Amino acid sequence: MLGGKRLQDVVGAAIEGGVTIVQYREKHGETADMLETAKGLREICQRSKVPLIINDRVDIALAVDAQGVHLGQTDMDPHVARRILGPKAIIGVTVCSVEEATAAVEAGADYLGIGTVYATPTKQDTKSIIGTTGVRDILNGMSSVGKGIPTVAVGGINTQNIQLVKFKSEASTRRLDGVAVVSAIIAAPSPKIAAQELRSLGSKPPSCVGSQSRPQRGLNDLLGRVNAVIREIGAKKPLCHNMTNLVVQNFAANVALAIGSSPIMANNGDEAPELAALGGSLVINMGSVTPEAVLNYERAAKAYNSCNRPILFDPVGAGATKLRRTAVKTLMAKSYFQVIKGNENEIGLLFGDTTTQQKGVDSSASTSSDIDKATLARDLAARERCVVVLTGKTDYLSDGTRTYAMKNGSEYLGRITGS
C-alpha cells in the first residue's frame, strides 16, 4: 500500500495536508518492530502537536508515551486501559450497534469509531458492514447518551464517497464529527494533497443532493405546473437512461417516447459516464440481480451522482431473497437517489421492515391503513432526504414534508409486471 514510501514520510505529509489525529494500526507486526515505528511516529506527531493513537496495543502506547489507544470489541476493556494509561489518555472504541455505542460511552470512551461502513482490505475481521444507515441509527441512538462524545465513520471511505457518507449518515439529533481513512491517504501519490482534498470535500455536502431548502409549493400550485413541465420535456427531449429488466423495457421506452423524452436501454455501467454527461436522468429498475448487474448499477449511479443528474431507484422484488436485500443495502449506502419508487413491501424493506417475506415482484395483500402507507412514504423520504413514491391502488408521493395521495390507480396494478 505504501508503494515504496516510508510510513514516517507519508504521515508527515498527511499532517501537513490537515490530518488532525494519527492512529498506528499493525495487526501482525513483531513487538520490537512496532515499538520502533511507533517511536518515530510519536516524534513526527509531537512536532506538529497532533495526537498519536495506537490501535489495540496498550503496552506500545504506554512505552512510547502516545496520547491514547483505540480498542475494538474484542480488545482490552476500556476501564482497564484507563487504569493503565491514566485519566488524560484518549481512548477510542469501535462500535457497530447502538448497544455497543452505549456500552462504550458508559465505559468512558473519549470518541467512537462507527463502522465498518464499507468493506475494506484493512478490516478483514469485521463482523458486519453497517453502511450509512447503520451509522445514522447509532447517532440517533446516542441522543440520550454520549452527546458530547466525538464520532468518526470507519471503513472504505475515500474522496469518492466522503461527502455521501457524511450526508447520508446525518441523524436528526447529530452528525459525524469526522472520518477515519487508510488507503485514501496512504496509497495516494501525494498524501498531503489527498488529505487536503478529503478535508475540503468533508466540509461541504455532495452537490448531487441539490438544495435541501425546497420552496414549499401548495397542491394547487404543483398541479398547475404539470402541463408546463410536460411541455418542457417535449421541447427539450431529455435523455432517459434505463437500466431495467427485459419484462418492461418495451413499456419503459414507449412511455418515455410518448411524453417526449429520448430513451436508451443501457445496462452496462461503463456507458454511464458518457450518457450522464449528456444531461439526462437514470432509472435503475432492479429487476435482474446478479453480482455483475449490481456492479453496473453502482457504476451508473456513481456517474450520475458525479454529474449531479437525477436518479430514480425502483427496488423491484427487494424483499424476495437475501441477494436482493443485500443489493438494496449496497446501492442505498453507496448512492444518492433523488426519487425512490416501489410498492408497499419494497418501500417497507428500504425503511427497515424485515418481517414481510416478498415472493415476487407483485405486492402482497396489505393490512396497512391509508395513514400507515402515507406515513411510511413520508418517513423514508425524510430519512433519505429525497422524493418517495409508494405505488398501489392509491399512490403516495412525499418529499418528507408534504405527502399527497393520488387515488387514480387500480388494485390490479399490483398484479401486473409493468404498465
Side-chain angles (χ1 to χ4, degrees):
M1 188 181 294
L2 284 168
K5 301 186 292 287
R6 290 178 66 248
L7 178 61
Q8 290 83 348
D9 293 338
V10 170
V11 170
I15 291 174
E16 290 180 15
V19 164
T20 57
I21 190 166
V22 173
Q23 180 187 145
Y24 175 44
R25 183 176 188 267
E26 177 57 73
K27 300 297 288 185
H28 306 294
E30 296 291 338
T31 297
D33 295 335
M34 291 181 63
L35 191 58
E36 189 66 26
T37 300
K39 286 179 180 177
L41 295 177
R42 177 73 174 93
E43 292 176 5
I44 294 169
C45 292
Q46 195 167 27
R47 286 198 297 268
S48 302
K49 297 182 180 180
V50 170
L52 173 66
I53 304 297
I54 307 298
N55 192 75
D56 299 348
R57 297 291 296 270
V58 175
D59 57 334
I60 299 291
L62 192 63
V64 303
D65 193 28
Q67 277 69 38
V69 293
H70 186 88
L71 304 171
Q73 290 297 310
T74 60
D75 296 327
M76 183 181 291
D77 185 283
H79 289 108
V80 178
R82 178 71 68 194
R83 287 202 299 269
I84 295 172
L85 296 175
K88 294 184 179 180
I90 300 171
I91 296 180
V93 178
T94 298
V95 299
C96 65
S97 69
V98 174
E99 293 74 19
E100 289 179 356
T102 301
V105 170
E106 292 175 348
D110 295 296
Y111 75 90
L112 301 182
I114 304 178
T116 302
V117 181
Y118 306 125
T120 165
T122 64
K123 299 288 284 185
Q124 296 288 341
D125 58 347
T126 180
K127 61 184 177 183
S128 64
I129 307 299
I130 64 173
T132 51
T133 299
V135 176
R136 183 174 55 236
D137 290 344
I138 291 172
L139 292 177
N140 271 326
M142 292 176 64
S143 58
S144 59
V145 295
K147 290 185 178 180
I149 304 296
T151 58
V152 297
V154 179
I157 299 169
N158 52 47
T159 54
Q160 299 297 313
N161 60 30
I162 182 173
Q163 291 179 304
L164 209 55
V165 167
K166 295 192 73 174
F167 175 78
K168 291 177 72 69
S169 297
E170 189 172 329
S172 58
T173 55
R174 63 179 299 169
R175 63 184 66 181
L176 286 166
D177 297 287
V179 297
V181 301
V182 181
S183 58
I185 290 178
I186 296 292
S190 171
K192 178 179 178 179
I193 292 176
Q196 290 173 333
E197 188 175 3
L198 284 163
R199 278 194 66 110
S200 174
L201 290 170
S203 66
K204 50 195 175 187
S207 56
C208 64
V209 304
S211 173
Q212 292 295 299
S213 55
R214 304 182 186 92
Q216 295 298 298
R217 303 182 188 277
L219 178 58
N220 290 334
D221 188 6
L222 290 172
L223 292 175
R225 291 166 57 86
V226 170
N227 288 336
V229 169
I230 293 175
R231 283 196 299 270
E232 187 173 359
I233 291 173
K236 293 185 176 180
K237 298 190 181 303
L239 174 73
C240 182
H241 175 186
N242 286 268
M243 302 183 79
T244 187
N245 58 76
L246 296 174
V247 176
V248 297
Q249 278 188 358
N250 191 48
F251 286 114
N254 282 317
V255 168
L257 285 168
I259 64 173
S261 69
S262 177
I264 185 169
M265 306 294 151
N267 288 330
N268 190 328
D270 290 337
E271 292 186 276
E274 291 180 72
L275 293 172
L278 296 176
S281 58
L282 172 67
V283 176
I284 297 178
N285 177 305
M286 203 185 69
S288 301
V289 181
T290 64
E292 182 181 9
V294 174
L295 285 175
N296 281 317
Y297 297 152
E298 286 183 41
R299 293 189 189 110
K302 179 180 177 181
Y304 277 80
N305 279 165
S306 297
C307 290
N308 307 329
R309 303 309 305 167
I311 307 174
L312 182 148
F313 180 46
D314 187 349
V316 178
T321 64
K322 181 180 179 181
L323 179 63
R324 287 176 179 272
R325 291 190 291 272
T326 301
V328 166
K329 184 177 180 180
T330 299
L331 292 170
M332 291 289 289
K334 293 186 175 182
S335 312
Y336 176 71
F337 301 117
Q338 283 80 1
V339 181
I340 297 174
K341 166 190 170 292
N343 61 40
E344 182 184 351
N345 294 339
E346 293 157 353
I347 297 300
L349 179 92
L350 265 61
F351 192 65
D353 177 16
T354 58
T355 60
T356 302
Q357 175 61 55
Q358 194 171 0
K359 293 180 181 178
V361 300
D362 55 317
S363 182
S364 58
S366 174
T367 59
S368 303
S369 67
D370 290 347
I371 292 296
D372 290 336
K373 295 174 186 177
T375 301
L376 174 60
R378 182 202 65 188
D379 290 350
L380 181 62
R383 192 189 75 183
E384 297 298 325
R385 285 181 277 183
C386 69
V387 172
V388 169
V389 184
L390 190 157
T391 60
K393 181 179 180 181
T394 299
D395 294 334
Y396 298 90
L397 174 69
S398 180
D399 64 358
T401 302
R402 300 162 295 176
T403 304
Y404 298 112
M406 292 168 284
K407 299 184 178 181
N408 59 350
S410 166
E411 62 180 317
Y412 295 113
L413 288 172
R415 302 181 187 179
I416 61 175
T417 55
S419 61

